[in-house]
């Protein structure tokens, strides 16, 4: 009856019914029908024949009816596919189908039917069924036969999904137990999969790039899960991808780009170690095929991986390889104008590069010097917008190296050896000069002062003096904004106050410059604050520090004159004086030096200043500021507290009346 029914749909359902009622009556191992009625081979032959006939009926369905209803028929065929696939499921449930029988009989017969039907829908579905219903160990042992059918399928079949599912199943099988891993090596699973993918791509020249790359992504995922220790396999997959991409324009298709990014991200996620990825010679070659924007995204991913896993790059060669990977962030590529970039995105990218520089370290000073030189060579290609972000971390890395050398070199600092403090300071000087030439004078000034402080720690007076000289030159010639000048002069004063390396002559020269510039600031309040800050240059509260009480008093008196001038100017311009904040600030400086034991700061001078402030506050022209009043009240409470505390300090404060 089954043979007589010719209508495809009726025949399918009839044979499906036959398969259903006969499945528990097949002669199988342990079955009541084994031996007397037939053998396992008879059962397999019966199911295979039913499968073959059902598949033919299923394929014939597409030719029934008018051409305009073809889409409707394809939908019906898709809905009926499970009827055909159930035969393969029945085969997989037959206990007597061992590996040998599967290898010699079942798989060849099924694949013969799959290849010969030449139908896209049938071939895709049946290959998927084979992969899903039969055991993983069977697939592993018959890999060559199964993969050999793939290039023979219709070019329109989604073979990449089929192969991806096969590799995923094999990967899961390998992960299930370490005992099965030797089997993968024995059957050379990687070589067979790699060869099959190459043949499929070759057999389908019209396959889009995204399809080929997705196959390599699946193969790479399989390799990383099954053979994580075989970097040569990983590099081989990347090399095959490079070969496929070579000769083509940079990947601009969004889907292809995503697949390339997935390919590059897989080793990073698996190894959690960029050092391992740097050993892959084809890794940067794959990145070269990304468009500029995606190349930068991938570079950020690499940096994030380094930061997340706290990975330190310890050799100059690896730093060179790493910077080759992230070159999209370090310099302009393909003539892309930097002005087109979003400002916030650009800052975030450059900040990530700056953070990366701090991860490039080595305890060996000579190797660290090579790393610094390598980084410097790369970042100086970045252009004026990038340098303010990337030079500061490089400078601080070099200063860290200087301080590491300091303990070793002792009295002979910077005199001999391949890496010396003097050589590093020369490199720093040249690097910061580059920064000062690209419209970042304030940043360059800060870095010169940092270097001067490091030179002070190394007891290199000429070097420290040179860095201060450069800072003053920048202040004179480049820092024009009044707010920037105020910040810069306070930085100079603060750094100079901490310097201990200078002799009398050099210190006097620099101190004179600092006090001179302080008095030339544009606004009187700024002048006043900078001048009284200079008083600390003449009184360093250390054992061997300078203590010139007379010049401290001169600075404070000068600050007081400037404060008076500011008060008078405010009276002329606004008809009322400004708040007494400046006078209270100066009073606090007097109190500081009074407590430190400056013999020129007496209780009479402090008393006179308190009376001056009181007079100013009672003046009709004075502007009452709640903050200034609170500041003065707090200062008066402090004086009262010191008087009540007793002891030597209490005696000093006793003559002061508040």
């Amino acid at each position: 009856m089954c043979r007589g029914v010719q209508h495809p749909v009726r025949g399918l359902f009839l044979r499906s019914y036959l398969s259903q009622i006969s499945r528990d009556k097949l002669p199988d191992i342990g079955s009541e029908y084994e031996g007397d009625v037939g053998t396992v081979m008879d059962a397999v032959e019966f199911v295979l024949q039913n499968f073959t006939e059902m598949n033919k009926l299923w394929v014939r369905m597409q030719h029934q009816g008018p051409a305009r209803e073809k889409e409707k028929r394809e939908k019906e065929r898709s809905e009926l596919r499970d009827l055909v696939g159930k035969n393969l499921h029945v085969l997989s449930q037959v206990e007597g189908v061992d590996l040998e029988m599967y290898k010699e009989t079942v798989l060849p017969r099924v694949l013969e039917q799959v290849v010969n039907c030449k139908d896209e829908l049938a071939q895709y579905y049946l290959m998927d069924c084979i992969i899903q219903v039969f055991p993983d160990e069977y697939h592993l042992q018959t890999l060559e036969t199964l993969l050999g059918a793939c290039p023979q399928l219709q070019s329109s079949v989604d073979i990449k999904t089929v192969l991806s599912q096969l590799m995923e199943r094999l990967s899961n099988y390998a992960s299930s137990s370490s005992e099965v891993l030797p089997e993968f090596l024995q059957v050379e699973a990687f070589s067979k999969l790699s060869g099959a993918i190459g043949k499929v791509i070759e057999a389908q020249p019209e396959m889009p790039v995204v399809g080929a790359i997705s196959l390599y992504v699946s193969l790479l995922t399989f390799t990383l899960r099954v053979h994580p220790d075989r970097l040569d396999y990983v590099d081989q997959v990347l090399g095959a991808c490079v070969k496929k991409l070579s000769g083509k324009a940079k990947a601009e298709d969004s889907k292809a780009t995503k697949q390339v990014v997935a390919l590059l991200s897989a080793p990073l996620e698996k190894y959690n170690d960029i050092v391992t990825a740097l050993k892959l010679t084809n890794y940067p070659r794959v990145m070269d095929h990304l468009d500029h924007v995606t190349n930068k995204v991938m570079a950020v991913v690499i940096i994030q991986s380094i930061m997340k896993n706290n990975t330190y790059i310890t050799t100059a060669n690896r730093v060179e390889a790493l910077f080759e990977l992230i070159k999209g962030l370090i310099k302009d590529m393909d003539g892309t104008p930097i002005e087109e970039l979003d400002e916030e995105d650009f800052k975030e990218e450059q900040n990530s590069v700056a953070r990366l520089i701090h991860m490039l370290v080595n305890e060996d000073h000579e190797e660290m010097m090579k790393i610094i030189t390598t980084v410097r060579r790369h970042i100086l290609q970045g252009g004026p917008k990038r340098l303010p972000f990337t030079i500061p971390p490089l400078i601080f890395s070099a200063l860290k190296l200087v301080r590491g050398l300091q303990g070793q070199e002792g009295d002979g600092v910077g005199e001999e050896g391949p890496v010396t403090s003097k050589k590093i300071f020369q490199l720093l000087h040249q690097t910061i000069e580059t920064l000062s030439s690209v419209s970042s004078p304030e940043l360059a000034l800060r870095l010169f002062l940092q270097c001067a402080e490091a030179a002070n720690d190394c007891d290199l007076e000429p070097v420290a003096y040179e860095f201060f000289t450069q800072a003053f030159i920048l202040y004179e010639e480049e820092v024009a904004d009044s707010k920037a000048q105020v910040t810069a002069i306070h930085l100079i004063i603060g750094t100079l106050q901490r310097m201990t390396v200078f002799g009398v002559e050099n210190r006097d020269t620099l101190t004179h410059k600092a006090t001179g510039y302080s008095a030339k600031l544009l606004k009187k309040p700024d002048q006043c604050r900078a001048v009284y800050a200079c008083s600390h240059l003449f009184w360093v509260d250390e054992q061997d520090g300078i203590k010139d009480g007379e010049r401290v008093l001169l600075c404070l008196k000068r600050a007081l004159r400037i404060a008076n001038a500011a008060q008078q100017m405010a009276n002329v311009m606004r008809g009322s004086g400004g708040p007494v904040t400046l006078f209270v600030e100066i009073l606090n400086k007097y109190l500081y030096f009074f407590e430190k034991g400056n013999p020129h700061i007496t209780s009479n001078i402090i008393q006179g200043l308190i009376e001056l402030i009181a007079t100013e506050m009672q003046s009709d022209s004075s502007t009452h500021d709640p903050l200034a009043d609170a500041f003065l009240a707090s200062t008066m409470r402090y004086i009262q507290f010191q008087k009540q505390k007793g002891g030597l300090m209490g005696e000093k404060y006793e003559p002061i009346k508040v």
Side-chain angles (χ1 to χ4, degrees):
M1 182 179 177
C2 288
R3 292 177 183 275
V5 176
Q6 297 299 308
H7 192 280
V9 178
R10 293 171 189 161
L12 264 179
F13 278 103
L14 186 59
R15 284 192 172 274
S16 175
Y17 174 71
L18 173 65
S19 175
Q20 190 172 344
I21 62 170
S22 63
R23 65 183 300 172
D24 57 350
K25 298 178 176 60
L26 296 173
D28 192 10
I29 294 174
S31 166
E32 59 182 290
Y33 302 102
E34 182 187 11
D36 297 337
V37 181
T39 63
V40 173
M41 195 64 199
D42 294 330
V44 170
E45 189 64 39
F46 172 77
V47 177
L48 281 173
Q49 186 176 359
N50 198 48
F51 162 72
T52 302
E53 294 301 326
M54 287 184 74
N55 188 48
K56 289 177 180 177
L57 290 168
W58 186 45
V59 172
R60 272 175 52 199
M61 280 181 64
Q62 64 184 306
H63 303 299
Q64 301 292 312
R68 64 177 179 273
E69 296 180 0
K70 185 175 181 180
E71 187 176 338
K72 178 184 175 183
R73 289 196 302 274
E74 286 299 306
K75 184 179 179 182
E76 289 175 354
R77 285 187 66 212
S78 182
E79 292 169 350
L80 295 174
R81 61 187 180 179
D82 284 351
L83 298 178
V84 183
K86 281 179 181 178
N87 288 283
L88 297 180
H89 181 68
V90 170
L91 272 175
S92 70
Q93 299 299 309
V94 176
E95 293 288 337
V97 178
D98 56 11
L99 176 59
E100 190 64 30
M101 184 179 289
Y102 176 78
K103 188 175 183 180
E104 298 297 330
T105 304
V106 176
L107 184 61
R109 290 275 296 276
V110 172
L111 287 178
E112 180 185 9
Q113 182 59 36
V114 171
V115 172
N116 290 339
C117 73
K118 299 188 184 303
D119 176 66
E120 175 190 345
L121 179 61
Q123 287 183 338
Y124 174 76
Y125 172 68
L126 293 176
M127 288 296 287
D128 185 47
C129 278
I130 293 169
I131 291 167
Q132 300 301 332
V133 302
F134 290 106
D136 297 327
E137 56 266 33
Y138 285 16
H139 293 323
L140 186 59
Q141 296 300 329
T142 59
L143 201 52
E144 193 167 358
T145 306
L146 185 58
L147 294 174
C150 293
Q152 301 176 51
L153 303 179
Q154 299 296 104
S155 60
S156 54
V157 174
D158 185 12
I159 192 64
K160 64 180 183 297
T161 304
V162 173
L163 286 172
S164 297
Q165 289 173 342
L166 173 62
M167 286 185 276
E168 185 178 357
R169 280 209 65 173
L170 291 175
S171 299
N172 292 335
Y173 177 52
S175 303
S176 64
S177 172
S178 58
E179 296 175 2
V180 303
L181 291 177
E183 295 180 29
F184 282 84
L185 293 170
Q186 186 179 353
V187 301
E188 298 179 344
F190 171 79
S191 300
K192 289 175 181 176
L193 286 167
S194 180
I197 289 172
K199 288 178 182 177
V200 167
I201 293 173
E202 189 177 335
Q204 299 185 12
E206 295 181 2
M207 179 187 286
V209 173
V210 62
I213 298 172
S214 65
L215 279 173
Y216 288 123
V217 170
S218 299
L219 179 59
L220 184 61
T221 305
F222 167 83
T223 306
L224 291 170
R225 292 182 67 183
V226 180
H227 306 292
D229 56 328
R230 294 295 299 267
L231 286 180
D232 56 328
Y233 284 176
V234 177
D235 210 27
Q236 190 176 325
V237 177
L238 296 174
C241 187
V242 170
K243 186 177 179 182
K244 178 63 181 176
L245 292 170
S246 61
K248 294 180 171 60
K250 290 188 182 293
E252 295 180 354
D253 173 34
S254 60
K255 291 182 179 178
T257 299
K258 285 180 181 177
Q259 290 297 325
V260 175
V261 170
L263 189 79
L264 292 166
S265 301
L268 296 179
E269 294 169 2
K270 175 64 181 178
Y271 297 117
N272 288 330
D273 182 9
I274 188 63
V275 174
T276 305
L278 294 177
K279 296 175 184 175
L280 303 169
T281 56
N282 286 307
Y283 199 93
R285 295 174 64 198
V286 176
M287 280 194 71
D288 287 342
H289 288 281
L290 291 171
D291 63 88
H292 179 58
V293 173
T294 314
N295 192 297
K296 290 202 299 180
V297 170
M298 195 62 226
V300 171
V301 169
I302 290 171
I303 294 175
Q304 287 173 345
S305 172
I306 292 172
M307 304 307 296
K308 178 184 175 184
N309 299 301
N310 206 28
T311 305
Y312 290 96
I313 314 299
T314 56
T315 67
N317 289 337
R318 286 177 181 170
V319 170
E320 182 72 46
L322 174 62
F323 274 66
E324 185 63 27
L325 291 182
I326 63 167
K327 60 187 176 185
L329 296 179
I330 296 171
K331 59 184 178 182
D332 296 336
M333 306 287 288
D334 301 333
T336 305
I338 202 167
E339 288 75 14
E340 292 183 5
L341 302 175
D342 180 77
E343 189 68 24
E344 288 300 316
D345 290 345
F346 176 75
K347 286 181 179 178
E348 183 55 40
E349 289 169 2
Q350 296 310 305
N351 283 330
S352 67
V353 175
R355 287 191 290 270
L356 172 67
I357 292 173
H358 291 295
M359 304 302 289
L360 315 176
V361 293
N362 193 310
E363 294 298 323
D364 178 70
H365 297 146
E366 193 169 344
E367 188 63 31
M368 187 63 202
M369 186 64 178
K370 289 179 182 177
I371 290 174
I372 289 169
T373 307
T374 302
V375 174
R376 180 179 182 272
R377 189 178 73 252
H378 281 281
I379 65 172
L380 288 184
Q381 301 174 31
K385 287 201 73 173
R386 290 185 177 89
L387 291 181
F389 293 92
T390 52
I391 280 183
L394 176 65
I395 298 298
F396 282 101
S397 288
L399 291 177
K400 187 177 179 182
L401 176 58
V402 168
R403 291 188 166 95
L405 288 168
Q406 185 185 346
Q408 291 186 1
E409 294 175 347
D411 295 334
V413 171
E415 296 299 331
E416 297 177 358
V419 182
T420 64
S421 297
K422 281 188 176 180
K423 288 180 181 178
I424 299 171
F425 281 126
Q426 288 172 2
L427 189 74
L428 289 171
H429 193 286
Q430 295 164 8
T431 307
I432 300 173
E433 276 190 332
T434 306
L435 187 61
S436 63
S437 66
V438 293
S439 302
S440 296
E442 294 95 340
L443 180 57
L445 185 144
R446 287 172 180 266
L447 293 175
F448 275 133
L449 294 176
Q450 287 285 346
C451 292
E453 201 167 347
N456 176 76
D457 296 340
C458 294
D459 202 27
L460 292 171
E461 182 180 4
V463 176
Y465 189 83
E466 175 60 26
F467 280 122
F468 258 101
T469 303
Q470 292 299 322
F472 277 122
I473 291 172
L474 280 176
Y475 180 85
E476 287 178 1
E477 299 179 357
E478 302 291 343
V479 182
D481 180 69
S482 59
K483 288 185 178 179
Q485 284 183 341
V486 172
T487 304
I489 199 63
H490 280 282
L491 284 169
I492 290 171
I493 293 167
T495 307
L496 185 55
Q497 192 265 342
R498 292 193 296 274
M499 302 297 283
T500 57
V501 72
F502 292 132
V504 175
E505 185 179 346
N506 283 340
R507 187 176 185 87
D508 282 350
T509 303
L510 296 173
T511 303
H512 178 72
K513 277 282 186 185
T515 51
Y517 288 132
S518 298
K520 291 178 182 177
L521 291 172
L522 179 64
K523 298 177 182 177
K524 290 293 181 183
D526 292 335
Q527 281 184 27
C528 178
R529 292 186 174 102
V531 169
Y532 73 58
C534 286
S535 63
H536 289 281
L537 297 177
F538 305 107
W539 192 279
V540 180
D541 193 30
E542 293 177 6
Q543 185 176 358
D544 300 324
I546 184 173
K547 289 182 173 61
D548 190 341
E550 186 177 354
R551 294 178 76 177
V552 168
L553 183 60
L554 285 173
C555 277
L556 295 179
K557 284 184 174 179
R558 190 175 187 183
L560 198 55
R561 286 199 301 273
I562 296 171
N564 270 318
Q567 197 80 344
Q568 291 170 10
M569 190 179 294
N571 194 26
V572 169
M573 298 300 296
R574 296 193 291 270
S576 64
V580 295
T581 309
L582 286 175
F583 293 103
V584 182
E585 289 175 11
I586 295 168
L587 172 60
N588 275 270
K589 286 297 173 186
Y590 270 101
L591 292 175
Y592 172 81
F593 290 111
F594 179 62
E595 289 186 8
K596 292 298 179 183
N598 185 337
H600 293 82
I601 308 293
T602 64
S603 57
N604 290 334
I605 293 176
I606 294 173
Q607 187 68 54
L609 183 53
I610 292 172
E611 291 171 1
L612 172 64
I613 294 171
T615 304
E616 284 290 337
M617 292 189 72
Q618 291 167 8
S619 169
D620 294 336
S621 62
S622 176
T623 303
H624 286 281
D625 178 7
L627 291 176
D629 295 345
F631 188 14
L632 177 61
S634 177
T635 305
M636 294 299 105
R637 283 197 303 273
Y638 176 77
I639 295 172
Q640 192 65 39
F641 169 75
Q642 292 289 19
K643 289 175 70 174
Q644 293 172 356
K645 190 167 69 171
L648 290 175
M649 195 60 67
E651 291 178 11
K652 288 188 72 171
Y653 272 91
E654 188 59 37
I656 302 173
K657 295 180 176 57
V658 294

